[in-house]
Amino acid sequence: MKTNLLLAIMVCCFGTSFAQQKKVVSTTTKEPTAEELYEKAFSYDYGINGIQKDSIKALEYYELSAKLGFASAQFELGVKFYLGKDYEKAVNWFSKAAEQGHIGAQDYLGDCYYFGDGIWKDYEKAAFWYCKAAEQGNQYSQVSLGELYYMGYGVEQDYQQAVYWYRKAAEKGNSAAQSHLGYCYEEGQGTSQDYTLAASWYRKAAEQGHREAQHNIGCMFYKGAGVKKDVYQAIYWWRKSAEQGKMEAQFNLGLAYEQGNGVQQNFQQAVDWYKKAADQGFAEAKNNLGICYYYGTGVTKDLEEAKRLWIEASRQNSQSAKINLRKHFDIVM
């Protein structure tokens, strides 16, 4: 009797164990990892790996991966929300990725703090995150950190540190950094004044289409500073910059056409370029355009328009406009 009972208990025990094993084998499936979810999201995002592009599914998979703590997914999710102008959600995901050392997220988070996107503007925190990314070699953060040091925003103003970070990014080919570095060499800020190096860095940036650098290298050619004086090269670069909307270059180009300096004299062209700069608020362009209207040079004579432009320029403290108002209309400003 005891033997039969023991056998029954043993059979029962073994029978239960086998059933449990069968259940485990039949119901357990491998859950995708955070990295696998990210790769799936990336494939949907860009329509690769034999998967049709689907932005909604991409977002879903990025979120699944991000919630499992995958930094790259958190970053991509942050970018999606940032571009969609949902800045608070963007900051949330950038913060999570940045804290894991994600270089792109650190750069974006720095931008959010700098511009006040989705969070209170805070230059110190912007500098903190830019520094994190800059030290990992992110050229955009290197430029941004250089700018903060140059302006003294969130950090103590330090031109040498600005130059240090500008150079890091400039050597990677960053056009903004090259332009900033050229300006530091031109002005002798944070480094010894060197017009030749200023012109060299300006030109590198200008050749990449940087409009500030195009204007500045034009000025260097016009003055013969760091390069051989060449008014034709000055006009060439000013035109490049002016066509991108740089108002100082538009004014210089207008002046060149008015004087016939480096180009064939053309008063109508002068007026056109003065107008472009004046419409952007450039005071001296308003003054010169006022002169054109007063004398009917390149445009139909219009004394009231001349007066209006000179008044506007005078309010911007243009001494030339104040003189013209007093001389021609007996108005003192």
Side-chain angles (χ1 to χ4, degrees):
M1 188 70 175
K2 286 183 179 180
T3 305
N4 291 338
L5 178 61
L6 179 61
L7 181 60
I9 293 171
M10 289 177 66
V11 169
C12 183
C13 290
F14 280 115
T16 302
S17 177
F18 181 70
Q20 287 174 340
Q21 287 176 16
K22 280 184 70 178
K23 186 176 181 181
V24 169
V25 170
S26 63
T27 60
T28 301
T29 56
K30 184 186 176 187
E31 291 293 328
T33 65
E35 186 173 358
E36 288 170 340
L37 290 167
Y38 170 76
E39 289 173 356
K40 191 82 167 178
F42 198 82
S43 296
Y44 275 120
D45 205 4
Y46 294 94
I48 58 175
N49 298 324
I51 293 177
Q52 188 173 352
K53 184 178 175 71
D54 189 324
S55 299
I56 295 174
K57 284 188 177 179
L59 196 64
E60 289 174 358
Y61 278 100
Y62 278 137
E63 190 163 5
L64 288 171
S65 178
K67 285 180 177 178
L68 291 175
F70 198 64
S72 294
Q74 293 169 341
F75 170 67
E76 293 292 345
L77 205 52
V79 172
K80 298 293 184 188
F81 284 122
Y82 190 88
L83 295 177
K85 301 190 183 302
D86 191 339
Y87 297 124
E88 289 187 12
K89 287 183 179 178
V91 168
N92 174 57
W93 290 113
F94 286 148
S95 297
K96 291 180 185 297
E99 286 164 3
Q100 294 191 69
H102 192 284
I103 186 171
Q106 292 170 341
D107 178 58
Y108 263 95
L109 190 55
D111 284 345
C112 291
Y113 277 113
Y114 183 85
F115 294 108
D117 290 336
I119 201 164
W120 288 106
K121 186 179 288 190
D122 189 326
Y123 292 133
E124 286 188 16
K125 287 184 179 178
F128 174 84
W129 287 112
Y130 283 147
C131 188
K132 290 284 188 183
E135 287 174 344
Q136 291 195 72
N138 185 285
Q139 60 177 287
Y140 305 107
S141 278
Q142 289 170 342
V143 178
S144 298
L145 187 58
E147 289 175 348
L148 291 181
Y149 274 113
Y150 186 87
M151 297 180 293
Y153 289 178
V155 291
E156 187 176 346
Q157 189 175 49
D158 188 331
Y159 290 141
Q160 288 183 331
Q161 277 292 301
V163 167
Y164 173 83
W165 288 112
Y166 286 154
R167 191 184 308 282
K168 288 280 190 185
E171 288 171 350
K172 292 183 173 75
N174 186 285
S175 62
Q178 292 169 342
S179 181
H180 291 321
L181 189 56
Y183 187 79
C184 288
Y185 274 115
E186 183 180 3
E187 298 298 317
Q189 294 176 327
T191 186
S192 300
Q193 190 174 53
D194 190 322
Y195 291 138
T196 301
L197 282 174
S200 174
W201 284 112
Y202 280 149
R203 186 149 198 170
K204 288 179 189 294
E207 287 172 348
Q208 293 192 69
H210 194 281
R211 70 176 195 170
E212 303 289 338
Q214 290 170 338
H215 171 255
N216 290 346
I217 190 63
C219 292
M220 302 294 273
F221 273 115
Y222 188 79
K223 296 180 292 186
V227 289
K228 185 178 179 181
K229 184 178 176 68
D230 188 333
V231 68
Y232 298 106
Q233 277 290 299
I235 296 297
Y236 171 83
W237 287 113
W238 284 341
R239 189 182 304 281
K240 291 278 191 184
S241 181
E243 288 172 349
Q244 293 195 73
K246 176 72 174 170
M247 62 184 182
E248 293 86 351
Q250 292 169 340
F251 172 76
N252 287 341
L253 204 51
L255 195 60
Y257 274 113
E258 184 179 3
Q259 297 173 344
N261 189 8
V263 291
Q264 186 174 351
Q265 191 174 49
N266 187 320
F267 295 125
Q268 289 182 330
Q269 280 286 305
V271 166
D272 287 345
W273 285 112
Y274 284 150
K275 279 183 177 179
K276 291 180 187 294
D279 287 345
Q280 294 192 70
F282 197 63
E284 293 311 312
K286 292 177 183 179
N287 175 66
N288 287 19
L289 186 58
I291 293 171
C292 292
Y293 274 109
Y294 187 85
Y295 291 105
T297 306
V299 70
T300 302
K301 186 170 183 174
D302 188 333
L303 299 184
E304 286 303 310
E305 182 64 5
K307 181 167 68 174
R308 183 189 71 80
L309 286 163
W310 286 337
I311 288 173
E312 280 190 13
S314 295
R315 287 172 177 162
Q316 293 177 260
N317 206 33
S318 168
Q319 298 304 309
S320 300
K322 289 179 180 180
I323 291 169
N324 285 326
L325 270 179
R326 186 167 62 248
K327 178 181 177 181
H328 298 292
F329 293 101
D330 199 26
I331 296 175
V332 179
M333 291 187 71

